[in-house]
């Protein structure tokens, strides 16, 4: 009998009122770790009621006081980093160093939000007319919610949580039902950090919990990260209910390799981007476009990198790549490779039907390289979310940029080159919100917004930094006159 996780509401752990639950599985072994309840409207309502009550005091708490529990949370996250990293590895599959890396980004966001007393300052103008001053202040929205995906259980909630509460909102998290244990552990730390009850809540579940959040009249804003079809659904239902929404979707990230690139560096970084986190990163390189003479060297070296990558349980320090998240995901990725082959691609390195000794029940797909992928092939256009790199070839940088821009997603595009002119042209012309120059995972640090474009993002204000401050606050403009006769009395 495995344990069933609880929700965190009004400062306490509480069992979900839902009967239904799902097994949470270690993808490297298929062992059931715990059960997650599939909460629905009654649990969401209870959490929102507690948040509405807490908001009355929290919004009046000075920003300088609101950030004190965030300082405590940063220290607790640092202290428990190793345990949290192992939890991420066990429920999500990535390697320990990848898990630690995402936690470092989480901590960075907590640190950045600790600047809120300055970040949320308004602006003013004296004497906009004689004796009249005008100023704009930022006020919190009320209760806000975030719905997050499976692939970064330790980091993505922190793209939102610290900013939401530091600006004076009360916050509800609905993490992915596939990786809920990391959130459960983080909420033990949130409890210890000293936030007043009701300021931060955790409700586990899937689609029903999401719908209850989207329809709740007291939730003012929705932050979402996940696949594009769900992002579109969440964005339109949230907007239909009059809420603010920022919804980050899927990706299909191209990387251009010029003949003047440092080929050894380009291949090493490209392999990490394509195969790191088993390709389950929204900033994973999915298509490499070689230009002219870059083709033979890049092809040989990326094949070698794919062959040599050590695959296995991420908690083993020698392992460089873990499993994909589920049996369904493995079947889908392997099916897409087969589809690619049937549509004319050559399979240079085949990661299908491979087993890791001792972990025969794990959901492993080994690194895969496909060549001569046609731009109109399904594998060139669909997000694979597995360790699969497609190669395409262009004669010139013009052709390469045209291939980069021939897609609906716009999460990331990268170029490897030693030419500043090529690099500048690339960053100027590509339709992508995050751009890498000799970088394979162009993930903005916490002080910059995470800028997806196209089908990778629905909304206008992105996660992190000053965009998060704007998203979680509403502006109020005051036009003020104090007749001189009044002041003369004193
Ligand atoms: P997903 O869309 O399946 O799930 C995301 C969240 O939505 C989960 O909390 C889930 O419970 C909920 N959900 C799923 N289906 C739903 C439905 N039909 N109705 C209501 N809610 C639903 O995504 P995932 O598989 O967990 O995550 C992987 C995806 O996330 C990939 O497409 C990846 O590119 C994307 N992603 C994007 C970014 C980014 O910054 N753009 C970052 C990380 C992941």
């Amino acid at each position: 009998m495995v344990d069933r996780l609880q929700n965190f509401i009004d400062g306490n752990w509480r069992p979900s009122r839902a009967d239904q639950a799902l097994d949470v599985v270690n993808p490297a072994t298929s062992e059931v770790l715990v059960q997650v309840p599939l909460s629905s409207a009654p649990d969401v309502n209870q959490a929102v009621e507690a948040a509405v009550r807490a908001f009355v005091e929290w919004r009046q708490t000075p920003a300088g006081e609101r950030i004190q529990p965030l300082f405590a949370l940063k220290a607790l996250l640092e202290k428990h980093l190793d345990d949290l990293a192992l939890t991420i590895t066990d429920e999500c599959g990535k390697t320990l160093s990848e898990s630690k890396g995402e936690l470092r980004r989480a901590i960075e966001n907590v640190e950045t939000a600790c600047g809120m007393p300055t970040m949320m300052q308004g602006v003013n103008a004296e004497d906009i007319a004689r004796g009249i001053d005008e100023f704009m202040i930022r006020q919190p929205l009320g209760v806000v919610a975030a719905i997050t995906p499976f692939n970064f259980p330790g980091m993505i909630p922190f793209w939102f949580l610290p900013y939401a509460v530091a600006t004076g909102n009360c916050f509800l998290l609905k993490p992915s039902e596939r990786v809920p244990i990391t959130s459960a552990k983080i909420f033990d730390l949130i409890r210890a950090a000293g936030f007043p009850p009701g300021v931060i809540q955790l409700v586990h579940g899937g689609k029903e919990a999401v719908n209850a959040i989207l329809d709740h009249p007291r939730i003012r804003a929705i932050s979402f990260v996940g696949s594009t079809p769900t992002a579109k659904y969440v964005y339109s239902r949230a907007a239909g209910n009059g809420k603010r929404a920022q919804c980050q979707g899927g990706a299909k990230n191209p990387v251009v390799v010029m003949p003047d690139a440092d080929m050894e560096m380009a291949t090493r970084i490209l392999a990490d981007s394509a195969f790191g986190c088993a390709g389950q990163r929204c900033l994973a390189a999915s298509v490499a476009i070689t230009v002219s003479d870059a083709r033979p060297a890049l092809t040989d070296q990326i094949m070698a990198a794919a062959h040599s990558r050590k695959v296995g349980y991420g908690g083993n320090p020698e392992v460089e790549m873990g499993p994909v998240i589920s049996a369904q995901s493995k079947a889908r990725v392997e099916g897409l490779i087969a589809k690619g082959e049937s549509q004319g691609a050559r399979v240079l390195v085949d990661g299908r039907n491979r087993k890791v000794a001792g972990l025969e029940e794990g959901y492993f797909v080994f690194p895969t390289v496909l060549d001569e992928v046609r731009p109109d092939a399904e594998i060139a256009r669909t997000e694979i979310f597995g360790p699969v790199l497609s190669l395409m070839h262009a004669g010139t940088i013009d052709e390469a940029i045209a291939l980069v821009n021939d897609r609906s997603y716009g999460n990331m595009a990268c170029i490897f080159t030693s030419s500043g002119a090529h690099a500048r042209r690339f960053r100027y012309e590509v339709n992508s919100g995050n751009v890498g120059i000799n970088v394979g995972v162009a993930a903005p640090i916490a002080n910059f917004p995470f800028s997806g474009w196209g089908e990778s993002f629905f909304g206008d204000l992105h996660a992190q930094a000053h965009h998060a401050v704007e998203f979680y606050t509403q502006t109020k403009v005051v036009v003020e006159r104090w007749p001189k006769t009044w002041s003369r009395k004193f």
Side-chain angles (χ1 to χ4, degrees):
M1 182 75 179
V2 292
D3 290 340
R4 185 175 289 194
L5 295 175
Q6 300 195 340
N7 295 328
F8 185 80
I9 295 175
D10 211 8
N12 278 306
W13 291 106
R14 294 171 197 268
S16 166
R17 297 174 185 187
D19 299 329
Q20 283 189 310
L22 283 181
D23 287 341
V24 179
V25 168
N26 180 334
T29 60
S30 79
E31 173 205 0
V32 176
L33 301 169
V34 84
Q35 281 204 319
V36 62
L38 292 179
S39 307
S40 58
D43 295 297
V44 170
N45 293 347
Q46 197 188 20
V48 176
E49 279 159 23
V52 167
R53 283 194 301 276
F55 179 63
V56 177
E57 277 298 314
W58 189 242
R59 72 150 290 194
Q60 296 178 53
T61 305
E65 279 180 44
R66 287 197 301 253
I67 60 172
Q68 296 310 313
L70 286 174
F71 283 113
L73 181 59
K74 172 200 154 52
L76 287 163
L77 287 166
E78 298 277 7
K79 184 172 169 198
H80 295 274
L81 193 125
D82 287 347
D83 175 52
L84 285 171
L86 189 58
T87 304
I88 295 172
T89 292
D90 281 349
E91 69 174 353
C92 186
K94 58 182 68 172
T95 65
L96 269 182
S97 66
E98 290 167 345
S99 299
K100 286 181 186 170
E102 73 163 286
L103 285 166
R104 291 251 62 94
R105 277 289 158 97
I107 291 168
E108 228 177 53
N109 275 286
V110 177
E111 290 166 349
T112 302
C114 286
M116 202 53 73
T118 309
M119 289 168 87
M120 78 179 287
Q121 284 174 354
V123 290
N124 58 59
E126 209 175 33
D127 288 323
I128 53 130
R130 284 182 197 283
I132 300 183
D133 306 327
E134 183 160 336
F135 51 96
M136 186 205 83
I137 51 181
R138 293 193 173 279
Q139 295 190 337
L141 300 175
V143 182
V144 300
I147 300 155
T148 52
F150 81 82
N151 63 329
F152 283 96
M155 173 181 77
I156 290 181
F158 286 94
W159 285 356
F160 310 111
L161 183 155
Y163 305 98
V165 298
T167 46
N169 299 280
C170 292
F171 179 82
L172 188 160
L173 174 67
K174 203 299 289 169
S176 167
E177 63 276 35
R178 290 190 273 181
V179 290
I181 311 174
T182 307
S183 293
K185 291 203 169 184
I186 287 171
F187 269 72
D188 272 335
L189 306 184
I190 284 171
R191 188 186 203 185
F195 292 96
V199 170
I200 310 183
Q201 331 263 354
L202 170 68
V203 175
H204 290 294
K207 186 176 174 167
E208 261 200 78
V210 171
N211 286 342
I213 289 169
L214 297 177
D215 292 344
H216 200 295
R218 295 302 300 263
I219 296 181
R220 296 280 318 277
I222 303 289
S223 303
F224 172 88
V225 183
S227 59
T228 289
T230 323
K232 272 187 184 166
Y233 167 76
V234 168
Y235 187 66
S236 48
R237 191 153 169 167
N241 284 326
K243 301 182 196 309
R244 270 185 199 191
Q246 48 176 194
C247 298
Q248 297 182 219
K252 185 79 189 170
N253 304 309
V255 173
V256 170
V257 183
M258 299 299 294
D260 60 10
D262 174 336
M263 216 49 81
E264 188 280 323
M265 177 185 81
T267 317
R268 183 170 34 80
I269 293 176
L270 179 60
D272 279 340
S273 177
F275 308 135
C277 298
Q280 299 175 123
R281 267 195 293 229
C282 66
L283 296 180
S286 185
V287 178
I289 303 163
T290 61
V291 174
S292 177
D293 294 345
R295 179 174 181 169
L298 193 275
T299 306
D300 287 350
Q301 291 186 32
I302 200 74
M303 283 174 67
H307 277 302
S308 66
R309 208 157 190 94
K310 286 199 181 56
V311 181
Y313 166 57
N316 174 348
E318 285 170 15
V319 162
E320 295 168 305
M321 194 185 99
V324 295
I325 189 69
S326 63
Q328 296 89 316
S329 183
K330 173 176 161 69
R332 193 181 52 78
V333 173
E334 293 189 343
L336 278 166
I337 298 169
K339 189 87 182 273
E341 200 174 14
S342 74
Q343 292 183 342
R346 283 198 306 132
V347 184
L348 298 183
V349 182
D350 194 346
R352 290 171 291 181
N353 306 315
R354 302 275 305 274
K355 297 271 183 212
V356 173
L359 297 171
E360 284 76 11
E361 302 303 314
Y363 314 132
F364 293 98
V365 180
F366 280 55
T368 297
V369 181
L370 303 177
D371 197 12
E372 289 167 21
V373 173
R374 292 203 323 262
D376 60 343
E378 188 173 335
I379 196 123
R381 312 196 80 82
T382 307
E383 181 176 39
I384 301 171
F385 229 52
V388 180
L389 183 67
S390 297
L391 302 184
M392 291 183 189
H393 309 289
T396 61
I397 189 170
D398 302 65
E399 282 174 40
I401 290 176
L403 283 170
V404 167
N405 286 343
D406 175 28
R407 74 212 147 101
S408 53
Y409 294 108
N411 222 29
M412 182 187 81
C414 300
I415 188 167
F416 286 87
T417 181
S418 54
S419 153
H422 286 147
R424 184 182 189 277
R425 180 161 170 215
F426 186 82
R427 81 165 152 76
Y428 194 83
E429 292 185 14
V430 290
N431 295 332
S432 184
N434 301 295
V435 173
I437 312 285
N438 295 315
V439 163
V441 179
I445 61 164
N447 315 61
F448 288 83
F450 193 106
S451 299
W453 282 15
E455 295 274 296
S456 299
F457 181 72
F458 304 91
D460 43 13
L461 293 166
H462 295 85
Q464 299 193 145
H466 57 285
H467 273 215
V469 179
E470 286 191 39
F471 184 75
Y472 288 125
T473 55
Q474 51 199 345
T475 52
K476 185 179 273 181
V477 174
V478 180
V479 185
E480 194 176 77
R481 169 193 284 138
W482 291 97
K484 281 185 181 151
T485 47
W486 295 2
S487 57
R488 278 202 204 107
K489 286 183 190 165
F490 300 100

